[in-house]
Amino acid sequence: MPTSASNVVLIAGGVGGARMAEGLARALPAGALTVIANVGDDDDFYGLRVCPDIDTLIYTLSDRIDRKQGWGVADDTVRALDVLRTLAAPTWMKLGDADFGLHIWRSWQLAAGNSLTQITQEAAKRLGARARILPASDDPIRTKLRTADGWMDFQPWFVGRRCEPEVLELRYDGAEKAKASTEALAAIEAAELIVFAPSNPLLSIEPILGIDGFRSAITASRALRIGVSPLIGGKAVKGPLARLLTGLGIETTTTGVAERYNGLLDGFAIDTQDLVETDDLQERGLSVLPTDILMRNPEDAERLAVEILTWAAALQGHCERAAS
Ligand code: GDP
Ligand code: CA
């Protein structure tokens, strides 16, 4: 039974990652899913630690998410932000009142000496997230972008400037020195299946792969490794991916994305709109699942998750037969 897999790891950023996580959590038995989350978008506001990708994962997996936006808490209010504005504080980062509660708690727990891994797992459990969520590292990693205006921090570019200044170069500060989460590496080692979410490869997945230990753990893993394309018909479902790829001289195709994960994947799920790329992907040694990869709602995400799990089980059976 494909949905009886007991150890599945999802490598994820925020919105695209959380949609895939929700689908997998619905399709798999309780306790089977571990999500390894990007921390490259994390930043401090008013002395509080905000982890946007972890927060989006927690809110989505606990059914608190504002589904229209894809981030933040549904029906949240902004009274705290209104006070901050009156006090002449910068308020471009849209933090809702309920959202502030989590940031206050996290910052309080960090100050008490707890690790981001402990804090994230406890928050996920207490808020009712239906998967284990592990930050890729407890050490700070900060994505920086070089634009015509010079190097920028991630959130001032992403939220403050609405991704407007074109990106000429990217770096992940701290990634080389950061220690990979031992829990995350253990999850990869124990996994039967590793899924690369349809997250932004440059802003969400590569800050994780840039941490020493992740690439080698994924390569060494006996798990089947499947990616899901964030592009459909050459366009991102949401966000700045297509413009980023163009700015950096990378092809805005599913093949262009798959090449970023060179050597780490066995298969790639693409949209039926991109069927013409099947040969290119197969030439790169990848099995291809063409299907509807748009996750319009949780039911749709579950449908895609079941298709991926069924396909993965068939590929695994095939590999095992070939090896024996
Ligand atoms: P962020 O951290 O919130 O920016 O989110 P991620 O990096 O996890 O995901 C962003 C990517 O998800 C974008 O490049 C989108 O194209 C992709 N995405 C969002 N929704 C969907 C969807 O329903 N299906 C697919 N295939 N990709 C999606
Ligand atoms: Ca993000």
Side-chain angles (χ1 to χ4, degrees):
M1 282 292 289
T3 54
S4 67
S6 56
N7 270 310
V8 176
V9 165
L10 179 73
I11 300 177
V15 176
R19 286 183 176 162
M20 194 71 257
E22 188 174 36
L24 286 167
R26 289 169 65 110
L28 286 164
L33 179 64
T34 298
V35 183
I36 301 176
N38 172 42
V39 293
D41 300 3
D42 295 7
D43 208 342
D44 294 323
F45 296 89
Y46 326 111
L48 302 175
R49 174 67 46 83
V50 177
C51 304
D53 289 356
I54 288 173
D55 297 337
T56 297
L57 285 161
I58 291 179
Y59 295 149
T60 303
L61 287 165
S62 63
D63 217 8
R64 289 158 199 269
I65 195 82
D66 181 328
R67 292 198 183 272
K68 233 196 247 148
Q69 286 184 156
W71 52 272
V73 176
D75 304 320
D76 210 353
T77 48
V78 288
R79 297 191 63 187
L81 218 56
D82 288 343
V83 175
L84 286 158
R85 189 175 300 110
T86 308
L87 292 168
T91 52
W92 51 263
M93 188 70 179
K94 301 295 170 226
L95 302 170
D97 296 334
D99 197 22
F100 263 113
L102 177 54
H103 309 318
I104 292 168
W105 182 81
R106 174 187 291 129
S107 307
W108 178 46
Q109 294 293 314
L110 283 169
N114 294 310
S115 71
L116 187 63
T117 298
Q118 292 168 325
I119 294 167
T120 302
Q121 292 198 85
E122 187 165 350
K125 196 164 129 209
R126 287 187 184 274
L127 294 175
R130 290 184 299 175
R132 190 156 77 117
I133 303 170
L134 297 171
S137 175
D138 284 332
D139 299 327
I141 293 148
R142 298 292 177 264
T143 297
K144 311 273 176 173
L145 314 100
R146 187 167 66 81
T147 72
D149 301 343
W151 282 100
M152 295 184 72
D153 287 350
F154 181 74
Q155 295 301 342
W157 175 79
F158 190 71
V159 182
R161 300 281 302 275
R162 296 167 194 269
C163 312
E164 193 199 294
E166 191 185 354
V167 174
L168 308 167
E169 194 182 343
L170 277 166
R171 65 169 207 248
Y172 312 115
D173 275 11
E176 275 174 35
K177 272 196 314 199
K179 187 175 171 296
S181 152
T182 41
E183 290 86 346
L185 292 181
I188 288 172
E189 204 188 330
E192 299 150 61
L193 174 65
I194 299 172
V195 180
F196 285 55
S199 290
N200 188 315
L202 302 167
L203 298 177
S204 294
I205 307 292
E206 288 179 32
I208 301 176
L209 300 178
I211 303 168
D212 194 35
F214 273 109
R215 274 184 186 271
S216 51
I218 294 167
T219 310
S221 166
R222 284 163 305 148
L224 192 80
R225 301 152 308 169
I226 300 296
V228 185
S229 176
L231 294 175
I232 299 180
K235 293 198 181 74
V237 177
K238 197 171 180 275
L241 175 59
R243 257 189 81 223
L244 265 179
L245 291 171
T246 309
L248 294 168
I250 304 164
E251 233 184 82
T252 52
T253 59
T254 57
T255 313
V257 173
E259 278 182 342
R260 305 298 301 179
Y261 307 139
N262 195 8
L264 295 178
L265 292 181
D266 301 303
F268 210 52
I270 66 171
D271 201 84
T272 42
Q273 285 184 40
D274 297 310
L275 261 180
V276 289
E277 290 193 55
T278 305
D279 287 352
D280 285 346
L281 290 164
Q282 285 175 342
E283 271 167 29
R284 285 161 180 78
L286 295 169
S287 298
V288 178
L289 172 70
T291 183
D292 172 8
I293 60 167
L294 186 61
M295 296 174 277
R296 301 158 191 86
N297 50 48
E299 294 72 28
D300 225 14
E302 182 177 352
R303 185 252 329 140
L304 177 58
V306 170
E307 284 184 48
I308 289 170
L309 292 166
T310 308
W311 180 53
L315 285 178
Q316 236 145 8
H318 182 75
C319 294
E320 273 156 24
R321 273 196 305 281
S324 63

